[in-house]
Amino acid sequence: MSNIHAVIITIGDELLIGQTIDTNSAWIAQQLNKLGIDVVRRVAVGDTKDAITNALDEELQKASLLILTGGLGPTSDDITKPLLCDYFGGKLIVNEKVLTHLKEMFAKRNRPILERNMKQAEVPDVCTVLFNDMGTAPGMWFEKDGKIIISLPGVPFEMQHIMTNVALPRIKDHFPGDAIVHRSVFTAGEGESFIAEKLLDIEASLPNHIKLAFLPDSGFVKLRLTGKSTNIEQLTAEIEAKQQEIATRLGSIVIAMDDMPVEKILGNTMKANGKTIGIAESCTGGYIGHYITQVAGASAYFMGSIVSYDNSIKQNVLGVKEETLTTYGAVSEETVIEMAKGAMKVLNVDYTLSVSGVLGPDGGTGRVKVGTVWMAVASKDEVKTKEFRFFYDRERNKEMAAKNGMLFLWKFINNKLSA
Amino acid sequence: MSNIHAVIITIGDELLIGQTIDTNSAWIAQQLNKLGIDVVRRVAVGDTKDAITNALDEELQKASLLILTGGLGPTSDDITKPLLCDYFGGKLIVNEKVLTHLKEMFAKRNRPILERNMKQAEVPDVCTVLFNDMGTAPGMWFEKDGKIIISLPGVPFEMQHIMTNVALPRIKDHFPGDAIVHRSVFTAGEGESFIAEKLLDIEASLPNHIKLAFLPDSGFVKLRLTGKSTNIEQLTAEIEAKQQEIATRLGSIVIAMDDMPVEKILGNTMKANGKTIGIAESCTGGYIGHYITQVAGASAYFMGSIVSYDNSIKQNVLGVKEETLTTYGAVSEETVIEMAKGAMKVLNVDYTLSVSGVLGPDGGTGRVKVGTVWMAVASKDEVKTKEFRFFYDRERNKEMAAKNGMLFLWKFINNKLSA
């Protein structure tokens, strides 16, 4: 087992009052993990000298690699750079490369460069600069008693850019270590407990260096195997054998052998079969189209979506009959069938998915309860329908409807609907 | 100033390998903040006895309120409950109310109840149960040396439900404290540094108990004033005067006096004017429709969106001329004008927004660089266009296009486009 332990420290009052969700830590953790470095803790502290200094003191005792993000902006609530300079006993000096880059950035955007922006070119003379060609705040690399401390801006794409291009390669050189291998099995249709019960003996049979975790999300359950070893070939073979054993045991509820989102699973099917899809969505408001187009290259198979939020659009664009809407309502099997068939014509595709429901908090009626979502999938020859019930709030119900809709379409296209 | 300091501890290996983004901490921090309780640190640790025990020991020295989330599921990687039971010197006993609830939940979903689910009805006899009527894992409230330790499930909607209905009212009774007041000014069109420069003297004039923070996001900058005092009326008056002073200074770049997303700002305008909107989106794939329908009650003004990802949909549904597409390309001023006008007809609304661009990583041509997005807004009488350039990755470019599109439409409807 490797002894390289990392701690991620995020700095900023906005994290402590909940105004910002910390996505940086998760991203950094993923990257370090690939290098075989364990993140043992993540700590968020406010923009005060005491809080930051205290976190540095404490976490340096627990880890050999600290990654700090945030606190490097041009405004006066950002105090991290001078603090780090003091902490490591240096003084601030202008870095000419950073200064030139700053001037160019402002010129390109036709904005005047201010004194406080120029200050961003100052760096402690006791650090190595991690050049930030996507933004104004440079990253910094400090070494102390054999430990590494890296400070990065908090803006996610700037942080990611510096990490990928500069910091991670340096970290890899500095800490050559054990390999970590992850393998996943992605399931839909059964709960966490039920699956755990079916895998009791397999879980018990795992060697000490392989762990199994259960990660439920929006009606899906991801199973993740994680192993660590110096021998990456042997570990990979071992962990893939366990992955296969689990998949065989779980049978038809397995939808992928990878940790990938449903839109990617659907996209892979479409890229392989050369067919096209289109959507007719109501309550999801465009969210399904959004998910599908998160996949680069989706234009090869995704033609479009008719977001028919109002009934007039269902009638005028998709050709749903007024009679159907008045007799059965917008949230009904009859309506989603006509939506899916209408979309086949309007979008001229091989397969369609239609979705109409009541996500809440209001909009329920005696006939249709909040959380009810009807869906239909259609091809040239066939239409299938399904009624879903989601029990949560508007936002979560929408996410579940979108993800389950893509899964429904994927199953239909792959002839797995009876499963 | 209040002395009530809280620490949030999130438990789970998935947080340390980056498989899960921690949204719970932000939500909890917001809620505590409203009660005048400062969150001073957030710590994430893995599912090991040492890590959790160590975090409890350390953070209990720093705070009078600890909130733990995660580690309470039915699978064997969840070890928090027995650990807490030991830590506070209790033993596990079955809670009849929780057991009855569990049996009912499984019956309602037609799933067999397993031994490991029944286990979830066991709670330490040294805690007060915080009943979870949305899930299977109950929350727990412990007291030790005048400090409060609350353990909650990690599933966001279950955690939120228990907090809102049970934990927060108890916390409020237990720690009556200072009030915290936040006020925001939401701006678009200028950078953080430029704004900070314009507000130098106002920032310097703030009393010690009021802080100003700059929060840039997707081309917008939110300014947040935070104050703390025992006299809530006086504090509110004082902080609102500063908010007004800032807004007056910044003039036309201010788009709202509240911390609310653009879709909500747009929604408020539409609810007030009684008009309708519709979208014709290409590269954003449905994301604009999704944002708009995140606002409850959007059905009053949002009719729908034509997601014309493929050019055939631009032609067949929106009526864009083939000649326009071949002469100028899909990403052009001419095309978005025809899309916006076409959407006016097809969706039969008062205002439309159309969006067509290249978000990357591929798809750029000699004529159109990656990151170029053309937009048009239309009413019955006029059409306005704008070319945007976004410099980031596909996902972020999409988000910026969606948010800036809604802002463009909002400005058009409010006659603020020249500003």
Side-chain angles (χ1 to χ4, degrees), chain A residues 27 31 97 129-134 141 152 156-173:
Chain A
W27 188 89
Q31 307 309 312
K97 187 178 173 196
V129 170
L130 306 176
F131 189 66
N132 177 8
D133 54 7
M134 297 290 269
W141 170 291
L152 299 168
F157 68 91
E158 293 182 26
M159 179 281 291
Q160 292 178 15
H161 196 77
I162 302 176
M163 275 293 275
T164 306
N165 294 297
V166 198
L168 286 168
R170 279 186 73 111
I171 292 170
K172 195 175 175 185
D173 285 349

Side-chain angles (χ1 to χ4, degrees), chain A residues 82-156:
Chain A
L83 184 153
L84 288 173
C85 191
D86 282 355
Y87 194 88
F88 295 105
K91 63 175 198 293
L92 290 171
I93 51 166
V94 170
N95 181 297
E96 289 302 329
K97 187 178 173 196
V98 176
L99 185 63
T100 307
H101 163 68
L102 279 176
K103 288 178 178 166
E104 282 169 7
M105 265 191 90
F106 278 81
K108 192 169 158 197
R109 287 165 168 76
N110 281 319
R111 289 203 175 164
I113 186 161
L114 306 171
E115 183 57 33
R116 63 172 72 221
N117 297 120
M118 305 280 272
K119 278 242 163 218
Q120 298 202 275
E122 291 181 6
V123 292
D125 58 358
V126 289
C127 80
T128 303
V129 170
L130 306 176
F131 189 66
N132 177 8
D133 54 7
M134 297 290 269
T136 55
M140 295 170 279
W141 170 291
F142 300 88
E143 304 198 11
K144 190 188 181 182
D145 308 332
K147 304 193 169 195
I148 302 297
I149 302 90
I150 297 172
S151 165
L152 299 168
V155 181

Side-chain angles (χ1 to χ4, degrees), chain B residues 336-390:
Chain B
V336 290
I337 290 174
E338 292 186 22
M339 285 171 69
K341 285 184 174 172
M344 286 294 294
K345 273 189 221 155
V346 177
L347 301 172
N348 191 27
V349 290
D350 297 309
Y351 303 100
T352 59
L353 161 73
S354 66
V355 177
S356 181
V358 189
L359 300 179
D362 311 313
T365 62
R367 193 163 52 178
V368 183
K369 289 203 174 62
V370 166
T372 304
V373 178
W374 271 101
M375 301 192 195
V377 280
S379 65
K380 191 164 52 68
D381 308 313
E382 66 176 332
V383 183
K384 300 245 180 183
T385 60
K386 188 168 176 181
E387 184 181 17
F388 292 81
R389 271 302 294 284
F390 304 115

Side-chain angles (χ1 to χ4, degrees), chain B residues 178-192:
Chain B
D178 275 2
I180 294 184
V181 174
H182 296 295
R183 284 295 180 274
S184 298
V185 176
F186 195 29
T187 74
E190 290 292 351
E192 180 184 0

Side-chain angles (χ1 to χ4, degrees), chain A residues 13-23 25-27 29-30 33 39-48 54-55 58-59 62 73-78 108-109 111-112 114 116-117 134 155 157 160 182 184 189-194 196-197 200 203 211-215 222 224 226 259 283-291 293-299 302-310 312-313 316-317 346-347 361 391-396 398, chain B residues 13-23 25-27 29-30 33 39-48 54-55 58-59 62 73-78 106 108-109 111-112 114 116-117 134 155 157 160 182 184 189-194 196-197 200 203 211-215 222 224 226 259 283-291 293-299 302-310 312-313 316-317 346-347 361 391-396 398:
Chain A
D13 287 343
E14 65 279 15
L15 295 162
L16 298 180
I17 67 164
Q19 196 146 6
T20 303
I21 287 171
D22 172 24
T23 55
S25 293
W27 188 89
Q30 282 175 3
N33 221 246
V39 175
V40 291
R41 285 160 60 89
R42 289 167 31 183
V43 179
V45 297
D47 294 307
T48 68
N54 183 30
E58 286 186 357
E59 304 304 329
K62 300 189 169 100
T75 47
S76 54
D77 50 334
D78 291 317
K108 192 169 158 197
R109 287 165 168 76
R111 289 203 175 164
L114 306 171
R116 63 172 72 221
N117 297 120
M134 297 290 269
V155 181
F157 68 91
Q160 292 178 15
H182 296 294
S184 298
E190 290 291 352
E192 180 183 0
S193 304
F194 179 88
E197 206 68 26
L200 271 183
E203 190 172 8
K211 281 178 83 173
L212 174 64
F214 295 80
L215 304 160
K222 273 183 243 177
R224 188 194 60 227
T226 304
D259 178 19
C283 61
T284 45
Y287 208 26
I288 299 178
H290 160 63
Y291 270 120
T293 56
Q294 287 295 85
V295 181
S299 58
F302 175 66
M303 297 297 106
S305 175
I306 305 296
V307 182
S308 54
Y309 210 61
D310 193 72
S312 65
I313 315 300
N316 301 338
V317 182
V346 177
L347 301 173
F391 296 91
Y392 313 115
D393 63 12
R394 179 185 180 86
E395 214 162 313
R396 192 173 161 78
K398 196 182 198 186
Chain B
D13 286 344
E14 65 278 14
L15 295 163
L16 297 180
I17 67 164
Q19 196 145 6
T20 301
I21 287 171
D22 172 23
T23 55
S25 293
W27 189 88
Q30 282 174 2
N33 222 247
V39 175
V40 291
R41 285 160 62 88
R42 290 166 31 182
V43 179
V45 297
D47 294 306
T48 69
N54 182 29
E58 286 187 357
E59 304 305 330
K62 299 188 170 102
T75 46
S76 54
D77 50 334
D78 290 317
F106 278 81
K108 191 170 156 193
R109 286 166 170 77
R111 291 204 173 161
L114 306 171
R116 62 174 71 222
N117 298 120
M134 298 290 270
V155 180
F157 68 93
Q160 291 178 16
H182 296 295
S184 298
E190 290 292 351
E192 180 184 0
S193 304
F194 179 87
E197 207 67 27
L200 271 182
E203 190 171 8
K211 281 178 82 174
L212 173 65
F214 295 80
L215 304 160
K222 273 184 242 175
R224 188 193 61 228
T226 305
D259 178 19
C283 60
T284 45
Y287 208 26
I288 299 178
H290 160 63
Y291 269 120
T293 57
Q294 286 295 83
V295 180
S299 58
F302 175 66
M303 297 297 105
S305 176
I306 305 296
V307 182
S308 54
Y309 209 62
D310 193 72
S312 64
I313 314 299
N316 302 339
V317 182
V346 177
L347 301 172
F391 296 90
Y392 314 114
D393 62 12
R394 179 185 180 87
E395 212 161 314
R396 191 173 162 78
K398 196 182 198 185

